[in-house]
């Protein structure tokens, strides 16, 4: 299958989806709020985009400050349709997540968290559930040796598995496992899949590692083009088998792989449906974005006002039609790829998924 040769049916579907995206950009309904509740972390991951550490340079935001920001934005959202996700750093290093969760629950907001699993004991898990936890993501980045290599801790794999085993027991909890694919764990993907199926995990997400932060100059973290292309073949095959719901992450237009390796067409929702409050109070979109894309700060701006009246750079993306995007025939579907793949200073694209897939296909033929 040639990635750039789209069937008529897929082109029609992409055209219809483009109209939906355009409408969402105009309406910009806020559906996801990420709270970077800490920059502290109990691991030392090679691919960390935030360069988190055990002793962060920015203090944890007080719960009352975050809740005030949520109260400020409440008039322009539908709380029961707006998911708040606690991220970091490692959220579970905070002792007050249960308090925060209960306050969000009282306000009608469903909430979740993203964790490395190191501190997710059964006791802590039960406490979080009693505080209204509705979704959780745990990272598993390979089999034992490769996972521990990426995470910088020899106990990390064991702890992640212990955390994952807790999740399927809660039938009303939306849970998934996320894997950051790199050259160390690429060949292990079938074994990881089988392990997750055996643990009754219902959903699995795969990401490739963005060349930012610590990952920027770490070559083993970046798949070669032939591996990159083969990854999507693996995802498509796994989805056809139907034993686990596998999706590629929300990054990158994939040409003919669109709709075949995830449940939806590519749509970077940053600043359109997604906002974030960072550890220092900065208001951004996706928390993985460079600080150049910050729109305001909760300590001096009203969150609702920022959401309604800024974010133009996210909602009108014609400025991304430069460099390799300037003459791309798929630009109208891609709109410059994910915003986290744009250099905050120059606006240049750091990675084109479609071109890397094409390169992988070319290498296979040769």
């Amino acid at each position: 299958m040639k990635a750039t040769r789209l069937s008529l049916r897929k082109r029609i579907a992409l055209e219809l989806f483009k109209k939906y995206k355009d409408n969402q950009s105009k309406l910009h309904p806020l559906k996801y709020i990420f709270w970077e509740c800490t920059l502290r972390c109990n691991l030392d991951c090679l691919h960390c985009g935030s360069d988190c550490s055990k002793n962060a340079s920015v203090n944890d935001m007080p719960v009352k400050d975050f809740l005030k920001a949520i109260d400020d934005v409440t008039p322009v959202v539908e709380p029961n349709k707006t998911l708040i996700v606690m991220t970091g750093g490692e959220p579970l290093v905070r002792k007050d997540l249960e308090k925060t969760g209960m306050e969000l629950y009282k306000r009608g907001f469903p909430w979740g968290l993203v964790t490395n699993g190191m501190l997710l004991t059964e006791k802590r898990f039960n406490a979080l559930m009693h505080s209204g936890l509705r979704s959780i993501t745990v990272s598993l980045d390979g089999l034992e040796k490769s996972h521990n290599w990426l995470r910088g801790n020899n106990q990390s794999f064991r702890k992640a598995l212990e955390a994952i085993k807790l999740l399927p027991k809660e039938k009303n909890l939306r849970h998934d496992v996320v894997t950051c694919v790199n050259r160390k764990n690429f060949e292990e993907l079938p074994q990881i899949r089988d392990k997750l199926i055996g643990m009754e995990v219902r959903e699995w997400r795969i990401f490739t590692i963005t060349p930012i932060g610590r990952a920027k100059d770490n070559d083993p973290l970046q798949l070669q083009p032939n591996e990159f292309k083969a990854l999507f073949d693996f995802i498509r095959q796994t989805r056809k088998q139907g034993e686990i719901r596998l999706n590629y992450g929300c990054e990158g237009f994939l040409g003919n792989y669109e709709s075949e390796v995830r449940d939806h067409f590519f749509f970077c929702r940053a600043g359109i449906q997604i906002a974030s409050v960072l550890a220092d109070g900065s208001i951004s979109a996706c928390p993985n974005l460079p600080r150049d894309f910050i729109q305001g700060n909760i300590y001096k701006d009203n969150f609702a006002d920022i959401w309604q009246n800024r974010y133009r750079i996210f909602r009108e993306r014609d400025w991304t039609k430069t460099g390799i995007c300037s003459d791309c025939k798929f630009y109208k579907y891609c709109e410059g790829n994910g915003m986290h793949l744009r250099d905050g200073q120059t606006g240049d694209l750091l990675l084109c998924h479609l071109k890397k897939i094409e390169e992988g296909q070319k290498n296979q033929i040769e």
Side-chain angles (χ1 to χ4, degrees):
M1 180 185 73
K2 189 172 178 58
T4 55
R5 189 174 297 157
L6 304 183
S7 66
L8 176 60
R9 182 178 180 180
K10 190 160 289 187
R11 284 184 181 276
I12 292 172
L14 283 165
E15 289 291 341
L16 292 173
F17 191 71
K18 183 183 185 306
K19 292 180 180 179
Y20 165 75
K21 289 197 300 182
D22 291 345
N23 189 52
Q24 289 296 292
S25 295
K26 293 175 182 176
L27 298 175
H28 49 267
L30 183 52
K31 299 294 185 181
Y32 304 90
I33 300 174
F34 287 92
W35 181 30
E36 187 182 63
C37 64
T38 184
L39 286 179
R40 293 181 292 141
C41 190
N42 48 8
L43 294 179
D44 188 26
C45 303
L46 295 174
H47 64 310
C48 182
S50 302
D51 203 24
C52 299
S53 60
K54 185 176 181 180
N55 299 305
S57 58
V58 178
N59 292 332
D60 292 354
M61 180 184 294
V63 173
K64 63 180 180 61
D65 294 355
F66 177 65
L67 291 176
K68 182 183 181 305
I70 294 302
D71 291 339
D72 286 344
V73 83
T74 296
V76 300
V77 303
E78 295 183 67
N80 64 333
K81 295 182 180 180
T82 307
L83 179 66
I84 296 177
V85 180
M86 301 177 194
T87 183
E90 169 51 44
L92 292 178
V93 301
R94 291 188 66 134
K95 305 300 183 184
D96 53 7
L97 292 191
E98 291 83 352
K99 174 186 175 183
T100 309
M102 186 58 72
E103 290 298 325
L104 293 173
Y105 178 79
K106 291 176 182 176
R107 288 163 168 80
F109 288 93
W111 66 277
L113 63 89
V114 179
T115 177
N116 59 39
M118 288 287 288
L119 299 174
L120 193 64
T121 62
E122 186 171 7
K123 180 179 179 181
R124 188 81 195 269
F125 180 60
N126 289 336
L128 292 165
M129 288 298 300
H130 286 303
S131 301
L133 181 69
R134 289 295 172 264
S135 74
I136 186 169
T137 295
V138 179
S139 296
L140 183 69
D141 296 310
L143 301 180
E144 185 167 11
K145 185 175 180 181
S146 55
H147 175 95
N148 290 342
W149 166 79
L150 186 68
R151 294 286 170 173
N153 187 296
N154 289 332
Q155 301 300 313
S156 179
F157 178 77
R158 178 176 63 84
K159 291 288 190 179
L161 287 187
E162 290 175 358
I164 291 168
K165 289 176 182 177
L166 296 170
L167 310 185
K169 299 176 183 178
E170 295 289 345
K171 300 304 180 183
N172 295 321
L173 175 70
R174 179 76 181 267
H175 72 269
D176 68 349
V177 171
V178 63
T179 299
C180 291
V181 180
N182 56 75
R183 302 199 73 191
K184 293 277 190 179
N185 65 14
F186 175 73
E187 298 291 343
E188 300 172 349
L189 290 176
Q191 294 167 273
I192 298 171
R193 175 191 60 201
D194 295 345
K195 181 177 286 291
L196 294 177
I197 292 171
M199 297 169 69
E200 299 182 345
V201 171
R202 296 188 287 272
E203 297 188 35
W204 183 25
R205 271 185 300 154
I206 281 178
F207 284 87
T208 41
I209 297 175
T210 302
I212 59 175
R214 296 177 193 168
K216 186 176 182 180
D217 300 311
N218 197 326
D219 186 63
L221 297 180
Q222 309 300 322
L223 295 180
Q224 294 299 302
N226 60 314
E227 296 169 327
F228 197 73
K229 193 265 179 186
L231 171 65
F232 299 111
D233 292 331
F234 167 79
I235 296 173
R236 184 174 56 185
Q237 177 191 27
T238 298
R239 286 171 61 87
K240 287 181 178 179
Q241 291 173 350
E243 295 184 82
I244 189 170
R245 184 181 178 187
L246 174 58
N247 277 282
Y248 183 59
C250 55
E251 54 173 309
F253 178 74
L254 306 174
N256 220 356
Y257 285 104
E258 286 295 322
S259 79
E260 297 184 20
V261 295
R262 52 191 166 205
D263 294 342
H264 51 79
F265 289 115
F266 170 66
F267 183 10
C268 177
R269 302 170 192 266
I272 298 172
Q273 295 180 348
I274 298 173
S276 63
V277 177
L278 305 184
D280 65 353
S282 296
I283 301 170
S284 187
C286 172
N288 292 327
L289 291 174
R291 298 192 69 82
D292 305 87
F293 293 102
I294 285 170
Q295 300 295 297
N297 192 291
I298 65 167
Y299 291 112
K300 63 179 181 179
D301 300 303
N302 180 276
F303 193 3
D305 178 64
I306 296 297
W307 179 255
Q308 293 291 75
N309 299 308
R310 296 193 191 176
Y311 287 92
R312 181 177 177 182
I313 195 172
F314 299 93
R315 298 165 187 168
E316 299 175 14
R317 299 191 183 182
D318 290 349
W319 62 272
T320 63
K321 196 173 175 61
T322 59
I324 61 174
C325 298
S326 60
D327 58 354
C328 178
K329 63 181 180 180
F330 298 106
Y331 177 83
K332 62 180 178 178
Y333 305 135
C334 178
E335 295 185 300
N337 215 322
M339 292 289 283
H340 67 294
L341 291 168
R342 287 279 164 181
D343 185 288
Q345 295 291 328
T346 65
D348 293 339
L349 183 62
L350 301 176
L351 170 68
C352 174
H353 288 65
L354 191 57
K355 286 190 178 297
K356 194 165 183 177
I357 292 172
E358 284 185 285
E359 189 177 346
Q361 289 178 322
K362 181 180 178 182
N363 292 345
Q364 282 184 338
I365 294 173
E366 294 176 348

